[in-house]
Structures are given as structure tokens and as C-alpha cells.
Amino acid sequence: MASLAQQFTGLRCSPLSSSSSRLSRRAAKNFPQNKSSSSVSPTIVAAVAMSSGQTRERLELKKMFEDAYERCRTAPMEGVAFTVDDFAAAIEQYDFNSEIGTRVKGTVFKTEANGALVDISAKSSAYLSVEQACIHRIKHVEEAGIVPGMVEEFVIIGENESDDSLLLSLRTIQYELAWERCRQLQAEDVVVKAKVIGANKGGLVAMVEGLRGFVPFSQISSKAAAEELLEKEIPLKFVEVDEEQTKLVLSNRKAVADSQAQLGIGSVVLGVVQSLKPYGAFIDIGGINGLLHVSQISHDRVSDIATVLQPGDTLKVMILSHDRDRGRVSLSTKKLEPTPGDMIRNPKLVFEKAEEMAQTFRQRIAQAEAMARADMLRFQPESGLTLSSEGILGPLGSDLPDDGVDLTVGDVPPAVDL
């Protein structure tokens, strides 16, 4: 109807002027009706013509209104660009389910001290509190990367009764992702590092992927007291991941056993100095404490360990021995020195050349083992084999290559970094 009204905007029929009416009455009085038309005054003719023109205009206006009424009755949407379907589509575009648990996409347009305002195309802006902005504890939403202009998916967790605005959460979505990640890590049977944030009578509490996990004392390989492990990272494996029961159980013992399986003699691993003693330094190598004896620090004499190492130092060490039953690992940096005394004078060079020196050490070990096996063959004449001065066994048998077997070089395993 608005468009119909616009069609007649500005159309009006002005009334006849009073002077024209008086002129018509005066003409009728002064001139009898029986006179011939040829004697009619020009003024009377003009008045009659004006009256006829206005009558036609009124008739045309009436016809226009009648046509418009007929169009409104028979085809009300004719000529209207915005149809009923368009209106329904617009409602569907800006309408969404505001029930609790529904996920909506929104744009942050303002941050405050205690949260952020989010545009989710609702009747009013939604609110994201700082407590619901991240799975970790933060003091301001910007610590979680929430700034104006950020577009993200949120979940509706409630409604503010004071202004009917919706309450949003990112924390809920992040929790779901964290549980999914833990299930994946459990399926892959991987070892993760986690910080110990608490302890109780039953064990330790560690933070894994933003979730609080429980490590029973029976699943801790270290003999250290619980207080000594607080705020420290320890290796863990997943034992039970149950999101419905909010149950996350971890094991340090399984993680350590997995790491120990990689500790081969001659392997080079990264370690962190934990503590210093008069007889050596204890090094953390992937959750296992190894002893770097003072005699294995350098070829040169070390009178004060503190002049070479400090707690927190990162260094590369070689595995000399590993007693799995007693849980003892002996380490050495002495074997990694390019030249005697480098650990004291140039520890950076020892770090850079560690793998190269370890390979040389393993080759020497392999050669020594080959010579030992050859010595045993010398005392077994029935074998029919002799050993040349170059370490080649002979004479050749049918199952040996023509050029003999070199026992001085064997398959040397590569170094392992934990």
C-alpha cells in the first residue's frame, strides 16, 4: 500500500475559486437562456470550460483510485521487489537457536577488563567473561588472543537476566578438544611431558593439555618426595581417559620404562643438570636421573664441579652403563671431548661435536669386541679359521666372501636424543 500511496503523491483537485462562481451566477442573471449562442460573453465560455476541465480531472482521479484498488485486490505483490520468500530468507539468515549448548559464530567488537562483547547477530550483543575465555587461568582476555575483530565459534552457556543478553564460552569448546587430544595420545601410546601442580595422599596432580590428571604414587618411578616434584615436568603415559567421568589417570613408571628402552650403551642424549654433589652431578635425561661422576666430566682433573656445571645447565652426555634392575645410569662427557680438557675450556665445542665423538667411540668399542671374538677363534683350531694382522678372518670357507670378513668394523647404531 505504501507504493500505492506514492503513486498519488502530489495529486490534488483544487476547488473552484469564488470569483468564478460569482461570475457564473451574474452571467445567468443578465443573459436570458433563450438567446442564441453567438451572443454569449467570452467570460461565460471560459468559466464553463474551467468547470468542465476540473470535472474531467476528478473523473480521471476517481478512475485511478478504482484501478489501484483493483490491483491491490487481485495482485497485491505486483511491482514489489521484496517478496514474501525474500522476507522469510532474511529472517532465517539472522535467526539462530539460542538454546544452551548451541554453537554460534561471532565477532569480538570490544574487550573489557572482565571479558569481551561479541556480535552474534542477535537482538543484543553477547558476553564472553574472562573465566570462559580460555582453558587456562588468565587475568585478561587478550592473554588468550581475544581482540576486537577476531571471528570465532562460541558456545551458548546461559542468559543474562538483567538485559536478556546471551553468555558465551570458549573454555567449553577447548575442554572438548583437550579430551579428544588425550584420547588420541593414549591411542598412539606416546610419552608426554607434564608439570606437577599439586599432590595429595594418593599421588600427584599434573596438568596435561589443559586438563588435571592424576598420577598415583604406585605409578611414580622416582623415589623423591612429592614436595620435591612440585612445579617440575615429568614424563607420563596415559592409563585411563574418561571424559564422561572426568577421569584422567597417568603413569610416570610406564613413561620411564619406555625411555629406558632407548638408552643404549654409547648413545648420546640431552640432559639437564639437577643437582651437584662432591662426587658428581645428577643429570635428568628424559625423566631418568643419571650420574655424571666427577671422573667422567673431563680428561683433565676437575677439583670443583661447580666451576664446570651448574644446576639447570643443558648438556649432551653419553650413556656408559645402564642397570635397569637398580635403575642406575652412568654418564660421561669425558668421552665426548675432541681434545682432553675441552669440557673445562670449551664446553660449547663438546656440545657441537658430541655425536661425532660418540660415533668414534662406538667404532672403537666395535673393534675391541671384534678383536675379542678373534682371540677366541685362535683357541679353536677346529674352526679352520685364522686371523691376519689386519683383522681379516681366513682361510675362506664356502660360506664366506672371497675377500674375507673384516671384524674391525661392525654395524654401529646411531646416537639417540631423548
Side-chain angles (χ1 to χ4, degrees):
M1 296 300 295
S3 60
L4 179 64
Q6 293 175 358
Q7 298 181 29
F8 304 115
T9 300
L11 294 180
R12 62 187 178 186
C13 180
S14 58
L16 294 175
S17 63
S18 57
S19 60
S20 299
S21 300
R22 287 194 301 270
L23 180 61
S24 299
R25 289 194 297 271
R26 190 180 301 115
K29 180 179 179 181
N30 295 330
F31 298 94
Q33 297 294 329
N34 57 355
K35 289 188 177 183
S36 63
S37 59
S38 59
S39 60
V40 177
S41 171
T43 304
I44 295 175
V45 173
V48 173
M50 182 181 297
S51 177
S52 299
Q54 291 177 345
T55 301
R56 284 196 302 271
E57 183 178 350
R58 290 176 178 176
L59 290 175
E60 291 175 357
L61 185 62
K62 178 181 178 183
K63 181 69 167 55
M64 187 181 300
F65 271 105
E66 290 176 348
D67 292 343
Y69 171 77
E70 185 65 18
R71 287 197 304 271
C72 290
R73 186 180 66 84
T74 58
M77 300 306 298
E78 182 180 353
V80 180
F82 193 77
T83 66
V84 175
D85 294 337
D86 295 335
F87 182 70
I91 293 178
E92 184 178 356
Q93 179 181 358
Y94 292 99
D95 191 22
F96 61 89
N97 186 0
S98 60
E99 294 182 358
I100 293 177
T102 302
R103 294 196 178 192
V104 293
K105 183 168 288 187
T107 303
V108 177
F109 66 89
K110 183 180 179 181
T111 58
E112 301 176 342
N114 298 319
L117 295 175
V118 184
D119 178 16
I120 56 173
S121 302
K123 60 182 178 181
S124 62
S125 60
Y127 189 70
L128 174 70
S129 66
V130 66
E131 293 81 10
Q132 293 296 329
C134 184
I135 194 173
H136 303 287
R137 291 186 179 181
I138 57 176
K139 294 182 179 180
H140 196 277
V141 293
E142 291 182 351
E143 297 178 29
I146 299 174
V147 295
M150 185 192 79
V151 180
E152 190 57 84
E153 186 180 49
F154 303 86
V155 62
I156 299 174
I157 60 172
E159 184 176 354
N160 192 339
E161 296 181 357
S162 60
D163 57 4
D164 293 334
S165 63
L166 296 175
L167 303 178
L168 305 178
S169 175
L170 282 174
R171 179 187 177 98
T172 302
I173 297 177
Q174 292 173 0
Y175 262 120
E176 294 177 2
L177 294 175
W179 281 105
E180 179 62 29
R181 176 61 176 161
C182 287
R183 284 191 292 268
Q184 180 182 359
L185 293 173
Q186 183 188 29
E188 296 175 357
D189 195 32
V190 299
V191 176
V192 297
K193 286 288 190 71
K195 178 181 286 189
V196 178
I197 61 172
N200 53 40
K201 294 181 180 180
L204 304 176
V205 179
M207 188 66 71
V208 182
E209 296 291 331
L211 303 175
R212 296 166 67 91
F214 179 65
V215 188
F217 281 129
S218 60
Q219 293 297 321
I220 298 175
S221 63
S222 175
K223 295 181 180 179
E227 293 75 13
E228 297 178 8
L229 297 175
L230 289 176
E231 299 302 319
K232 292 185 178 180
E233 287 191 346
I234 60 174
L236 298 169
K237 269 195 169 186
F238 293 89
V239 176
E240 184 177 359
V241 180
D242 190 339
E243 182 179 1
E244 293 183 359
Q245 300 295 328
T246 319
K247 192 174 183 181
L248 185 62
V249 182
L250 307 160
S251 173
N252 170 249
R253 186 179 296 276
K254 289 185 176 181
V256 170
D258 186 75
S259 299
Q260 287 180 347
Q262 304 179 32
L263 298 181
I265 305 303
S267 300
V268 175
V269 295
L270 281 173
V272 179
V273 178
Q274 296 296 306
S275 61
L276 301 180
K277 302 295 181 182
Y279 51 85
F282 283 98
I283 313 296
D284 178 14
I285 50 173
I288 304 172
N289 279 328
L291 175 62
L292 176 61
H293 195 270
V294 64
S295 63
Q296 287 296 329
I297 295 178
S298 175
H299 284 85
D300 289 358
R301 184 174 181 273
V302 178
S303 57
D304 185 4
I305 301 177
T307 61
V308 183
L309 301 173
Q310 286 294 324
D313 288 351
T314 300
L315 69 165
K316 290 181 180 180
V317 294
M318 176 185 287
I319 307 296
L320 288 183
S321 65
H322 182 199
D323 187 344
R324 288 181 171 81
D325 295 334
R326 303 177 66 181
R328 293 182 178 180
V329 180
S330 297
L331 308 173
S332 175
T333 54
K334 176 180 178 179
K335 306 296 185 183
L336 302 178
E337 289 183 320
T339 57
D342 280 342
M343 192 61 194
I344 300 174
R345 294 185 297 270
N346 192 358
K348 184 178 180 181
L349 179 63
V350 178
F351 190 94
E352 294 174 352
K353 296 286 187 177
E355 284 76 12
E356 181 181 336
M357 297 305 298
Q359 179 69 14
T360 302
F361 175 79
R362 288 193 293 268
Q363 289 176 351
R364 291 174 182 173
I365 294 295
Q367 184 176 5
E369 291 177 350
M371 296 300 294
R373 290 195 297 268
D375 287 339
M376 292 179 62
L377 290 174
R378 286 196 181 97
F379 298 99
Q380 296 178 0
E382 65 277 7
S383 65
L385 296 175
T386 60
L387 184 69
S388 68
S389 59
E390 291 80 13
I392 304 297
L393 282 176
L396 301 178
S398 59
D399 57 343
L400 296 177
D402 295 338
D403 55 353
V405 179
D406 190 352
L407 296 180
T408 61
V409 180
D411 293 332
V412 181
V416 178
D417 286 340
L418 296 181

